[in-house]
Amino acid sequence: ALVFFLLSSFTFLWHYFDSCAVLQEIGSISNAKDDSVTHKQAYRLNEVIGRIITNKGRRFWTWIFFIVAIAILFLFFTANGTAAFARPDQRGKRPPILLLDPDEFYYPGMDNTLAYPTCKLTKGFEFPNSESTDLGDYSFLSAMAYETSEMSSFYLNKWFGPDVVRDEDEFVSQYRKDSDTELSPVYFKLFSVPSAPGYAVMSIRGSETAFDWISNMQLWSAAGLAQVVKWLTPFGWVWEPILPDLIYLVNLVESEPIASVSYYKITTQFVNDVLGGYGESFGKDFTNIRVTGVSLGGGLAIITGAQTEAYAVAISGLGATLTRETVDPPIELEKLNSQTFNFIPERDFIARIGGRAPLFQNAECIAPKNDLFGCHSMWRSVCEINYRCGSNSRPVICRCVENFGYPKPVQNGTRTFEEACQDANTTWYEMFPP
């Protein structure tokens, strides 16, 4: 603050060189026209007045605010005109995810450089009965939140093996009826592991509807604006310790609107209720839960994990370090720093909103440099982990090569990669015709 006070003292000099101060001193241009004023001086004064009246900066920011206002109105009316709380089976079909047999194709991992140190997660983040869990498994489960129950069951059997992981769709549906949260736009799944009774992974869907984007803006807009101001201001880092308090004060004004769209309240309530014994009466007693999600879902996973006893793994998730005081109940910084992990690709600007807790992984992104949001891609992150960390007996995904430009996997059979993907595509459409 002392540094800012010293720097701001220089701005007092601007008052004596500012064109507005000149006009205040001499009035309008007509008052300046006398015998002592030359034609050149009058012309220069006219230029000063003209630039004040037609200030480019003012016009620029006027258009910026106008465009932002139009965008917000568009999102608002679009959200009201669509089914914000529609289930995946009520929306259009998603493109097929073609998974190849790991016995035929695989990624060996990076041989010529170090792999990500977080390819294997331990110390609270691992699945039961195992020393570590592949980060790729969490990324895949985060993507399954977008799929219907039928689709997710098919993909889970292909990824983990038959009946290794189950989609507890009926359990979640029954809970939402009992808790009267069916109409909330937030959508999530619960995946159980039969070989580890009592263990489950909650996967929260990210932004898919206009209402989701409005929720994004209301929950994280203050933090995003504070970060932009910090980055643009010289020595802006000196404000870092008090940014959470400033964001809390800003959000006090709109606490009621935020509470009405706070997805995290539903997800946190679900975890607490399930860990508290919900489901025991119909044989679903889950005592150990992990939370995952991507984008908005990742941000909600971070908040939910820090508010409960569940560990959270986010993929391109919005952070909660700066917004931890605005949620209800407030998040303890210690839990945020020890129970949440975030996978953040380079050039993923959205995943940097809200601040990063200490447990995160910066990752490479091979998307074109001119693709502004190319690195904020759920399946691109799955492919990045699958390629850099190695497939580790998990299937290779055709779209990693076809859509995202990753190298072809190692062939371990008689079919070529193209033939295998074509066969997988044919099989998929035979099982799930349009």
Side-chain angles (χ1 to χ4, degrees), residues 165-183:
V165 177
R166 295 175 182 172
D167 183 353
E168 298 288 348
D169 185 66
E170 294 183 3
F171 178 86
V172 174
S173 298
Q174 185 61 48
Y175 171 83
R176 299 198 69 160
K177 289 180 182 178
D178 295 342
S179 61
D180 196 26
T181 59
E182 286 183 288
L183 296 183

Side-chain angles (χ1 to χ4, degrees), residues 2-76:
L2 290 175
V3 172
F4 269 84
F5 179 77
L6 177 62
L7 293 176
S8 64
S9 64
F10 292 101
T11 62
F12 288 110
L13 299 175
W14 293 355
H15 173 74
Y16 299 100
F17 299 97
D18 188 70
S19 53
C20 294
V22 174
L23 289 181
Q24 290 175 358
E25 181 67 25
I26 66 175
S28 65
I29 190 171
S30 59
N31 295 334
K33 288 184 177 180
D34 54 33
D35 296 337
S36 62
V37 178
T38 65
H39 177 74
K40 182 178 180 180
Q41 290 173 325
Y43 173 77
R44 292 178 62 185
L45 183 58
N46 182 66
E47 284 290 303
V48 170
I49 296 174
R51 291 180 182 180
I52 293 174
I53 295 174
T54 60
N55 184 271
K56 292 182 179 180
R58 183 175 62 185
R59 283 186 299 175
F60 172 79
W61 286 109
T62 300
W63 276 107
I64 288 293
F65 287 124
F66 177 76
I67 292 172
V68 170
I70 292 296
I72 292 174
L73 286 174
F74 174 78
L75 285 175
F76 176 77

Side-chain angles (χ1 to χ4, degrees), residues 117-255:
T118 54
C119 285
K120 301 283 187 181
L121 297 178
T122 59
K123 296 184 178 180
F125 295 95
E126 74 279 5
F127 289 3
N129 305 325
S130 62
E131 295 182 357
S132 64
T133 297
D134 289 341
L135 177 59
D137 289 344
Y138 276 109
S139 67
F140 185 80
L141 290 175
S142 71
M144 289 298 98
Y146 291 81
E147 304 294 336
T148 64
S149 177
E150 182 184 22
M151 290 288 97
S152 64
S153 297
F154 172 76
Y155 293 137
L156 290 172
N157 288 337
K158 294 281 287 183
W159 186 267
F160 293 99
D163 206 35
V164 174
V165 177
R166 295 175 182 172
D167 183 353
E168 298 288 348
D169 185 66
E170 294 183 3
F171 178 86
V172 174
S173 298
Q174 185 61 48
Y175 171 83
R176 299 198 69 160
K177 289 180 182 178
D178 295 342
S179 61
D180 196 26
T181 59
E182 286 183 288
L183 296 183
S184 172
V186 65
Y187 185 81
F188 55 86
K189 286 178 173 289
L190 188 71
F191 301 110
S192 64
V193 182
S195 61
Y199 177 79
V201 177
M202 177 188 187
S203 179
I204 307 173
R205 191 196 68 198
S207 302
E208 192 173 40
T209 67
F211 202 93
D212 293 336
W213 284 103
I214 290 177
S215 176
N216 263 338
M217 293 173 65
Q218 287 204 270
L219 286 171
W220 279 282
S221 59
L225 179 61
Q227 287 176 286
V228 169
V229 172
K230 184 192 75 170
W231 292 331
L232 294 179
T233 306
F235 296 97
W237 52 267
V238 302
W239 298 104
E240 188 80 36
I242 64 170
L243 278 182
D245 301 298
L246 295 177
I247 294 170
Y248 170 73
L249 292 175
V250 171
N251 281 334
L252 281 179
V253 180
E254 48 183 12
S255 58

